[in-house]
Amino acid sequence: MPPPADIVKVAIEWPGAFPKLMEIDQKKPLSAIIKEVCEGWSVQNHDNYALQNADSTNFYITEKNRNDIKNGSILRLTKSPATTAAELHERIQSSSMDSKLDALKDLASSSRDLTFAQEFINLDGISQLTQMVESGTERYQKLQKIMKPCFGDLLSFTLTAFVELMDHGIVSWDTFSVAFIKKIASYVSKSAMDAAVLQRSLAILESMVLNSQDLYQKVAQEITIGQLIPHLQGADQDIQTYTIAVINALFLKAPEEKRQEMAHILAQKQLRNIILTNVIRSPKPINDEMAHQLYVLQVLTFNLLEDRMMTKMDPQDQAQRDIIFELRRIAFDVECDSNSSGSMEKRKSMYTRDYKKLGFINHVNPAVDFTQIPPGMLALDNMLYFARHHQDAYVRIVLENSSREDKHECPFGRSSIELTKMLCEILKVGELRKCPVETTSDKPKMERGPGLEGVCKAVQATEASVEKQCQQSISRSFH
């Protein structure tokens, strides 16, 4: 006969004793079960004890999660969360550096548990940790000089405990002082910093920015893109991932006009080449979190193109028409001077001939070609960039195609517009306007992108794939 559904068979451990096999009645109060376990080992003051999963999580058993206990589970009798929190709160204030280090190491591990975290936070534990970070006392500074590894571990465990406690969402991020923000930012801006401290500091800055608009303003004042870029040039992929996450967070929270400025700075700092060299082409395989952060960065930067993609060209706007004149000038090495010699009809005929060679649909007023959205003015931006930065290739393409038979031609103007439109569709420009944030029990994370396949394979296979699709699209457009 099978055992009742409310009975769970488990093993319970106690330091220095053989584990006990026990049947737990899930209908009984948890406190009664703990009392029974304590009596079995003659342990006094059962109110100061609790049951804990004896696995890598070490999570406490509570009335809320006790139904997760399965037959065959291994539990441990241990001090209650309140007792442990009180002891650790006292130990981290020890004058002995060794004792403090051991206490912070235990705190960093225990803080992953929500039940413990609530008890420690109730003791004003978060404030205690932030004061330790802010203090920068003479003692800490001396310790950093004479015992640098120890200092790194001390600070690393302090920041790890802080991150774990804050990830439970119990305390608001808006409660932290400017001094704390400056101290965390200083760990990121330093050229040589313990890797674990740097990683935790980047994680804290990301959470600050994502969780508070006020903190975004303060963090943005302390950290520049230039200070973040060097962290991408190292070999530690976790640090690289957190660095891109901070860049994404700053990008996401920035006002629209600030985003364009950030994009310009990222281009100046050669961010794309740095990521390509140190991340995409790194011998280390890219993990899922890195792939996700790259996807988010891609979405945020591509979305900056949406405004130009959805802007129609005004055929009467002289400044916009001058861009088309510039394309003609570069291709045929002519000056577009309205005062040049020759009749108006002759000049119009020359323009029409050249615009046809450039591959526009409307040979008389090619500005009309850019009134379709998408791709709008973005297509013209791409054409001008290509003409200015790859002038020889541009001239060659225009001249080669202008001399081909109609059935073999691939007009530069029409092809560029179609290519831009197709790339906007492939890259989903503007489709994910704000990179939504997931709401979970942990810290907010950006919405997951296509993951490893969606980024890495796309990067490695883009040229062949896009070329094939664009050829098909252009072929359909002209035939």
Side-chain angles (χ1 to χ4, degrees):
M1 182 176 179
D6 293 325
I7 302 298
V8 182
K9 295 182 177 182
V10 300
I12 301 180
E13 298 177 342
W14 172 249
F18 287 106
K20 284 188 176 182
L21 298 178
M22 184 173 178
E23 292 186 352
I24 291 179
D25 187 348
Q26 293 284 37
K27 291 183 293 185
K28 278 187 179 181
L30 186 58
S31 58
I33 295 172
I34 294 172
K35 181 180 180 181
E36 182 181 342
V37 174
C38 286
E39 289 175 347
W41 273 306
S42 300
V43 176
Q44 305 297 316
N45 302 319
H46 67 273
D47 290 337
N48 294 333
Y49 290 88
L51 290 176
Q52 192 179 50
N53 285 303
D55 55 18
S56 58
T57 65
N58 292 325
F59 287 165
Y60 285 98
I61 304 299
T62 66
E63 291 289 356
K64 289 183 179 180
N65 65 21
R66 61 182 295 176
N67 289 327
D68 294 336
I69 301 174
K70 306 297 182 185
N71 281 314
S73 295
I74 302 176
L75 307 181
R76 180 187 301 117
L77 181 65
T78 188
K79 291 180 181 179
S80 68
T83 302
T84 304
E87 290 179 353
L88 284 175
H89 189 268
E90 182 178 348
R91 287 172 57 201
I92 63 173
Q93 301 177 62
S94 171
S95 58
S96 165
M97 287 299 120
D98 288 337
S99 298
K100 186 189 287 284
L101 183 61
D102 289 340
L104 287 168
K105 184 176 181 180
D106 291 342
L107 178 61
S109 175
S110 298
S111 295
R112 293 176 297 171
D113 181 84
L114 175 61
T115 310
F116 169 86
Q118 289 172 323
E119 296 292 347
F120 188 78
I121 289 170
N122 289 340
L123 297 173
D124 211 18
I126 291 280
S127 296
Q128 182 67 31
L129 293 177
T130 56
Q131 287 170 17
M132 291 170 63
V133 173
E134 290 174 18
S135 61
T137 60
E138 231 176 88
R139 183 184 187 115
Y140 271 55
Q141 290 172 357
K142 287 179 181 178
L143 179 63
Q144 185 177 13
K145 290 178 182 178
I146 63 176
M147 299 175 65
K148 192 171 182 179
C150 183
F151 174 80
D153 289 342
L154 197 72
L155 187 54
S156 171
F157 287 129
T158 303
L159 295 179
T160 300
F162 175 84
V163 170
E164 295 291 354
L165 291 168
M166 290 302 299
D167 276 356
H168 295 296
I170 300 171
V171 178
S172 170
W173 282 92
D174 285 308
T175 59
F176 300 109
S177 67
V178 174
F180 180 72
I181 297 170
K182 285 179 177 291
K183 185 64 72 171
I184 296 299
S186 72
Y187 299 144
V188 172
S189 59
K190 287 180 180 177
S191 57
M193 177 52 67
D194 178 85
V197 172
L198 176 58
Q199 187 184 113
R200 299 330 185 258
S201 299
L202 288 166
I204 291 171
L205 291 180
E206 180 202 7
S207 293
M208 283 181 172
V209 172
L210 289 177
N211 285 281
S212 169
Q213 188 65 31
D214 183 51
L215 286 183
Y216 155 71
Q217 300 284 352
K218 294 173 181 175
V219 172
Q221 291 173 1
E222 298 297 327
I223 290 293
T224 66
I225 297 297
Q227 291 169 329
L228 293 171
I229 294 295
H231 300 315
L232 293 173
Q233 296 172 308
D236 190 321
Q237 190 172 117
D238 288 334
I239 289 176
Q240 291 174 327
T241 302
Y242 277 107
T243 300
I244 295 177
V246 173
I247 293 173
N248 287 339
L250 290 169
F251 222 122
L252 185 66
K253 286 291 185 173
E256 193 66 35
E257 63 277 7
K258 183 72 174 176
R259 292 185 188 182
Q260 294 288 351
E261 181 184 329
M262 284 185 64
H264 180 67
I265 294 173
L266 293 175
Q268 284 185 325
K269 298 292 184 181
Q270 298 289 311
L271 178 67
R272 180 185 177 279
N273 290 337
I274 290 171
I275 290 176
L276 195 62
T277 302
N278 298 282
V279 179
I280 302 296
R281 292 175 179 167
S282 169
K284 294 181 181 178
I286 294 178
N287 60 42
D288 288 343
E289 183 60 26
M290 171 61 87
H292 163 63
Q293 294 298 339
L294 290 174
Y295 163 76
V296 173
L297 181 62
Q298 175 178 276
V299 170
L300 290 169
T301 51
F302 279 150
N303 279 356
L304 295 175
L305 303 175
E306 183 183 12
D307 183 58
R308 295 294 283 174
M309 181 183 75
M310 299 306 293
T311 298
K312 293 182 179 181
M313 185 172 185
D314 181 0
Q316 306 306 316
D317 188 316
Q318 187 58 44
Q320 295 181 359
R321 290 169 60 85
D322 285 346
I323 299 176
I324 296 177
F325 292 155
E326 177 76 354
L327 290 174
R328 176 177 177 266
R329 184 193 66 77
I330 295 174
F332 305 114
D333 195 22
V334 295
E335 296 297 329
C336 303
D337 187 358
S338 59
N339 297 321
S340 59
S341 60
S343 66
M344 179 67 72
E345 290 300 320
K346 184 177 180 180
R347 289 202 303 274
K348 283 184 177 179
S349 176
M350 288 172 52
Y351 284 147
T352 300
R353 180 199 65 199
D354 290 347
Y355 290 150
K356 182 177 181 181
K357 289 182 178 180
L358 282 170
F360 292 114
I361 297 174
N362 192 316
H363 306 151
V364 177
N365 186 6
V368 176
D369 287 18
F370 301 97
T371 56
Q372 176 191 2
I373 55 172
M377 289 294 291
L378 183 59
L380 188 57
D381 293 342
N382 288 340
M383 293 166 68
L384 183 62
Y385 180 91
F386 181 63
R388 285 177 172 173
H389 292 84
H390 305 278
Q391 188 168 327
D392 291 343
Y394 166 68
V395 172
R396 185 176 68 252
I397 289 173
V398 171
L399 296 181
E400 284 180 356
N401 283 284
S402 65
S403 61
R404 289 177 178 173
E405 297 179 17
D406 288 348
K407 64 180 180 179
H408 295 302
E409 71 173 354
C410 183
F412 175 72
R414 277 175 279 175
S415 300
S416 298
I417 293 171
E418 288 297 323
L419 281 169
T420 303
K421 182 178 179 181
M422 168 159 279
L423 286 170
C424 288
E425 293 172 356
I426 293 172
L427 301 172
K428 302 185 184 300
V429 176
E431 290 188 23
L432 298 173
R433 293 185 58 83
K434 287 189 178 181
C435 267
V437 174
E438 294 176 352
T439 302
T440 67
S441 58
D442 296 323
K443 68 180 180 182
K445 292 183 182 291
M446 299 289 225
E447 182 183 20
R448 291 287 160 187
L452 199 55
E453 272 100 24
V455 177
C456 302
K457 289 185 179 178
V459 171
Q460 295 167 354
T462 291
E463 294 181 0
S465 173
V466 170
E467 180 181 0
K468 181 178 180 181
Q469 293 183 59
C470 289
Q471 286 175 348
Q472 294 172 349
S473 175
I474 294 168
S475 177
R476 288 195 299 270
S477 300
F478 300 143
H479 300 292

